[in-house]
Amino acid sequence: MARHTPQTHDEILAAAARRFAVTGYRGTSLQDIAREVGCSKATVLYHFAGKDALLAELLAQPLAVLRELDERLAPLGGAEARRVGAEGFVDLAVRFRREIALLRGEFPELLAQPTFAHVQAMSERLIAALTGHTGRLADRITALVLLAGISEACAEFADVAEDELRPALLAVARRALAPLDPVDND
Amino acid sequence: MARHTPQTHDEILAAAARRFAVTGYRGTSLQDIAREVGCSKATVLYHFAGKDALLAELLAQPLAVLRELDERLAPLGGAEARRVGAEGFVDLAVRFRREIALLRGEFPELLAQPTFAHVQAMSERLIAALTGHTGRLADRITALVLLAGISEACAEFADVAEDELRPALLAVARRALAPLDPVDND
DNA sequence: TCAGGGGCTGACCGATCGGTCAGGCATGCT
DNA sequence: AGCATGCCTGACCGATCGGTCAGCCCCTGA
């Protein structure tokens, strides 16, 4: 039953990603992951400090990219913040749609944990950027509809090719954000 | 500790709605609900057949309205289907945003249960209606962005007044759907 | 040849879950 | 008074969760 190969670490990670994407983080037990890999639950916990460590490793790369977008957005304002924010987030969501899928709906609960507190702060700044920092409620509603909608669409259409998903999402974002700042062209 | 009043049923229901909205359906235990009511867990299960019965009763009304929208949508096509679908769903989401909030992200898992199989079918028909039944992938992506985004926005802005939330969401929906069928006017 | 260590395991732990059950305690009808 | 009924409870159940631990197997290098 045992693989006796040092790549077990990666196999566990891949299996966890698959299971999380189907049944969610909470809905997936270490037993489930172990069964999919073909090893024991203890082996999973030998390679990873805990269930949360598994999730953290799976999310490390997309979170790093999100942080980069956050920093890129910091000095921007108005129409440019909106454009860069929208394009940056669509790109992020499309690239890491499998990782987004495995968070499916557990965003609120998981982000409430102190481990991911900075993520919540970043997403709030992203929403502010998408409004062009107007602070108007209607604009914030629009921005949230886009962020949540794009995330869910990426999770749902995980099997669709990037170059088919990305332009469609960009088009929706542009349409939804279009009238926010009429000065904007391009 | 006991209330000894026949309205315990309603108190449990209200407490469950409050807890579900904060920690989600899965994240809320019968103990949590009982503690909030000030009764024992056994009392909760005396008034309700099970945890799922609690959820079913909380969702009964919004699901009935969704079914009504589904029937209203059945004979429609093209631009009219899109308009009625968008307005109907925004109205539904705004009216029952507290119920939507308590599903927060658990939609996929909960709707996967056979109990809610018809809900999934209805939401697929709703997406088809929002595309004007074109069947194009880009249109289906747009529709899903809207459905998921509006749901999440309603959950997030549960405290915003209806007459502030509804027009903002309708505006986003109209903007996002606008170019789908250029023949459409109004 | 044999010691050492990395990889892996079954057995086990305490906690918590949803749910069951027999019985207590008022109240109201006969 | 006696009985039935509705409401509620503590104690308990089996299942499952994430996580721990002592020890086994096998490969490697001295």
Side-chain angles (χ1 to χ4, degrees):
Chain A
M1 187 178 288
R3 285 287 198 288
H4 294 283
T5 57
Q7 71 221 29
T8 310
H9 179 278
D10 296 344
E11 289 182 21
I12 292 173
L13 209 56
R18 258 175 277 135
R19 296 306 308 163
F20 286 166
V22 174
T23 49
Y25 176 73
R26 274 202 177 158
T28 302
S29 70
L30 296 179
Q31 291 279 17
D32 294 332
I33 299 170
R35 196 180 305 122
E36 179 134 345
V37 175
C39 67
S40 74
K41 188 181 62 169
T43 300
V44 175
L45 288 161
Y46 170 79
H47 285 280
F48 296 90
K51 196 184 176 185
D52 50 351
L54 257 169
L55 183 66
E57 187 154 335
L58 283 172
L59 295 183
Q61 199 182 351
L63 284 186
V65 175
L66 176 60
R67 182 186 298 257
E68 183 206 347
L69 174 63
D70 186 54
E71 290 167 1
R72 197 149 33 101
L73 238 37
L76 271 42
E80 196 174 9
R82 285 172 33 220
R83 187 178 51 81
V84 174
E87 290 176 4
F89 181 73
V90 167
D91 188 67
L92 174 80
V94 171
R95 275 175 61 195
F96 298 104
R97 69 207 127 121
R98 282 173 218 285
E99 286 77 8
I100 287 180
L102 60 84
L103 284 179
R104 196 82 102 117
E106 310 193 74
F107 248 98
E109 303 159 41
L110 289 174
L111 299 192
Q113 292 180 237
T115 315
F116 296 118
H118 64 289
V119 178
Q120 199 158 16
M122 284 193 288
S123 61
E124 281 169 16
R125 284 197 291 272
L126 183 54
I127 287 180
L130 286 184
T131 68
H133 299 285
T134 64
R136 279 182 304 205
L137 179 61
D139 296 350
R140 281 177 47 225
I141 292 174
T142 296
L144 191 77
V145 168
L146 274 183
L147 284 197
I150 289 172
S151 300
E152 183 65 22
C154 283
E156 184 69 28
F157 294 106
D159 297 329
V160 173
E162 275 202 30
D163 54 4
E164 201 157 10
L165 193 54
R166 192 194 314 263
L169 292 175
L170 269 176
V172 181
R174 267 197 263 264
R175 261 178 272 143
L177 293 173
L180 280 201
D181 192 346
V183 186
D184 179 43
N185 51 0
D186 177 32
Chain B
M1 184 178 288
R3 284 288 196 285
H4 293 286
T5 58
Q7 72 221 29
T8 309
H9 179 279
D10 296 344
E11 289 182 22
I12 292 174
L13 209 56
R18 257 175 278 136
R19 297 305 310 163
F20 286 165
V22 174
T23 49
Y25 176 73
R26 274 206 177 153
T28 301
S29 70
L30 295 178
Q31 291 279 17
D32 294 332
I33 298 170
R35 197 181 303 120
E36 178 135 342
V37 174
C39 68
S40 73
K41 187 182 66 168
T43 300
V44 175
L45 287 161
Y46 170 77
H47 285 280
F48 296 90
K51 196 184 178 186
D52 49 352
L54 257 169
L55 182 67
E57 186 153 338
L58 283 171
L59 295 183
Q61 199 182 350
L63 283 186
V65 175
L66 176 60
R67 181 185 298 257
E68 183 205 347
L69 174 63
D70 185 55
E71 290 168 1
R72 197 151 30 102
L73 237 40
L76 271 42
E80 195 175 9
R82 285 174 33 222
R83 187 178 51 82
V84 174
E87 290 176 4
F89 182 72
V90 167
D91 187 67
L92 174 80
V94 171
R95 276 174 62 194
F96 298 103
R97 68 208 127 124
R98 282 174 217 286
E99 285 77 8
I100 287 180
L102 60 82
L103 283 179
R104 198 81 103 117
E106 308 194 74
F107 248 97
E109 301 160 43
L110 289 175
L111 299 193
Q113 294 180 237
T115 315
F116 296 118
H118 62 291
V119 178
Q120 199 158 14
M122 283 193 287
S123 61
E124 279 169 18
R125 283 197 291 270
L126 183 54
I127 287 180
L130 286 183
T131 67
H133 299 284
T134 64
R136 278 183 304 205
L137 179 61
D139 296 350
R140 280 176 49 223
I141 291 175
T142 297
L144 191 76
V145 168
L146 274 183
L147 283 196
I150 289 172
S151 301
E152 184 64 21
C154 282
E156 184 70 26
F157 295 107
D159 297 331
V160 174
E162 274 202 30
D163 54 3
E164 201 158 7
L165 193 55
R166 192 195 314 262
L169 291 175
L170 269 175
V172 181
R174 267 196 264 262
R175 260 178 273 142
L177 293 174
L180 278 202
D181 192 346
V183 185
D184 178 42
N185 51 359
D186 179 28

